[in-house]
Amino acid sequence: MILYPAIDLKDGHCVRLLKGDMTKATVFSDSPARQARAFQDAGCEWIHLVDLNGAFEGQPVNAAAVEAILSEISVPAQLGGGIRDMATIEMWLTKGISRVILGTVAVEDPDLVRAAAAAFPGQVAVGLDARNGFVATRGWAEETEIQVTDLARKFEDAGIAAIIYTDINRDGAMQGPNTDATAALARATTIPVIASGGVSSMQDLIDLRDCGTPLNGAISGRALYDGALDLGEALALLKAT
């Protein structure tokens, strides 16, 4: 199981939100590139990036910060937030992003997701962000009546590289991930699932690893910045099992 350190970008800074609320942002670094390099130096295999402003505005906003990160690291990075057309997908992959994450368009334009996955094999993931089991879009500001598992199944044969599943109510709250819902999603699809939202301790990682259904990985942000989770120890734990 891969541990993905998260860098969420707002106004060019590295921040963490509480339950997706843009008004409740804590700034952890004014140099996202330096933070990304620190994660790489600690031994991470991937880095998870989110353009928070882009998620709300529907287009890249923190492009300069993302490009600075890419110039600083050699490990692969995945990026979500404001990626809603083929031109933007191609732009980011050309610039060096290893995997784009499509969230809002998975609901609003599933044909685009399928076309992108076919055009860029292994480089397109779907972000399923849920509040009380139902998918939310446009920076989590809009709720749908679509259940997570139902949407995931729609992409079963599309060649999606991974599903990033986030329980919004757990995100940034340091209360642990929704392990049961994550495991249920992983059982419902053959697409690799990455857990996100609330991963804040070694025990959380153990619980996800041992949930009974193999997961591709887990994303953690605030816990790494607060020191509740030591990245080196966490990576060692996951590599040893």
Side-chain angles (χ1 to χ4, degrees), residues 107-173:
V107 173
E108 299 181 358
D109 191 0
D111 288 342
L112 172 63
V113 178
R114 290 178 171 275
F120 305 104
Q123 293 185 285
V124 175
V126 168
L128 297 184
D129 307 322
R131 189 178 281 115
N132 302 318
F134 293 93
V135 176
T137 62
R138 297 186 174 271
W140 304 351
E142 297 185 12
E143 297 186 12
T144 72
E145 296 181 355
I146 303 170
Q147 292 192 345
V148 170
T149 51
D150 291 340
L151 187 56
R153 289 190 178 109
K154 289 186 177 181
F155 298 109
E156 187 69 33
D157 61 348
I160 299 300
I163 289 173
I164 292 92
Y165 170 65
T166 303
D167 186 316
I168 297 169
N169 289 330
R170 304 292 184 102
D171 192 70

Side-chain angles (χ1 to χ4, degrees), residues 1-2 6 17-18 20 22-23 29 46 58 77 79 96 103 119 133 137 151 226 228:
M1 192 172 78
I2 299 169
L17 305 184
L18 178 61
M22 286 285 274
T23 67
S29 175
W46 276 83
L79 171 68
T137 62
L151 187 56
D226 285 348

Side-chain angles (χ1 to χ4, degrees), residues 33-146:
R34 187 165 59 241
Q35 182 61 66
R37 182 56 183 264
F39 284 149
Q40 175 177 287
D41 290 347
C44 72
E45 301 174 51
W46 276 83
I47 293 178
H48 175 78
L49 307 175
V50 180
D51 181 346
L52 293 172
N53 301 99
F56 280 90
E57 297 188 25
Q59 60 186 1
V61 175
N62 287 284
V66 173
E67 291 178 28
I69 289 170
L70 292 175
S71 70
E72 191 69 25
I73 63 173
S74 57
V75 296
Q78 60 184 19
L79 171 68
I83 305 174
R84 297 180 190 169
D85 56 53
M86 191 66 83
T88 305
I89 293 168
E90 187 170 2
M91 180 269 289
W92 279 127
L93 295 177
T94 300
K95 286 181 178 293
I97 287 294
S98 296
R99 189 157 65 200
V100 295
I101 304 166
L102 306 181
T104 295
V105 293
V107 173
E108 299 181 358
D109 191 0
D111 288 342
L112 172 63
V113 178
R114 290 178 171 275
F120 305 104
Q123 293 185 285
V124 175
V126 168
L128 297 184
D129 307 322
R131 189 178 281 115
N132 302 318
F134 293 93
V135 176
T137 62
R138 297 186 174 271
W140 304 351
E142 297 185 12
E143 297 186 12
T144 72
E145 296 181 355
I146 303 170

Side-chain angles (χ1 to χ4, degrees), residues 148-235:
V148 170
T149 51
D150 291 340
L151 187 56
R153 289 190 178 109
K154 289 186 177 181
F155 298 109
E156 187 69 33
D157 61 348
I160 299 300
I163 289 173
I164 292 92
Y165 170 65
T166 303
D167 186 316
I168 297 169
N169 289 330
R170 304 292 184 102
D171 192 70
M174 300 286 286
Q175 296 174 352
N178 192 334
T179 302
D180 291 343
T182 305
L185 176 60
R187 288 193 296 269
T189 180
T190 60
I191 303 170
V193 172
I194 299 171
S196 177
V199 178
S200 53
S201 69
M202 297 287 274
Q203 189 59 51
D204 290 340
L205 292 175
I206 293 169
D207 290 345
L208 289 168
R209 182 197 65 190
D210 299 340
C211 70
T213 303
L215 301 177
N216 171 271
I219 294 168
S220 184
R222 180 176 291 273
L224 295 174
Y225 299 110
D226 285 348
L229 185 63
D230 182 272
L231 181 55
E233 292 180 7
L235 291 171

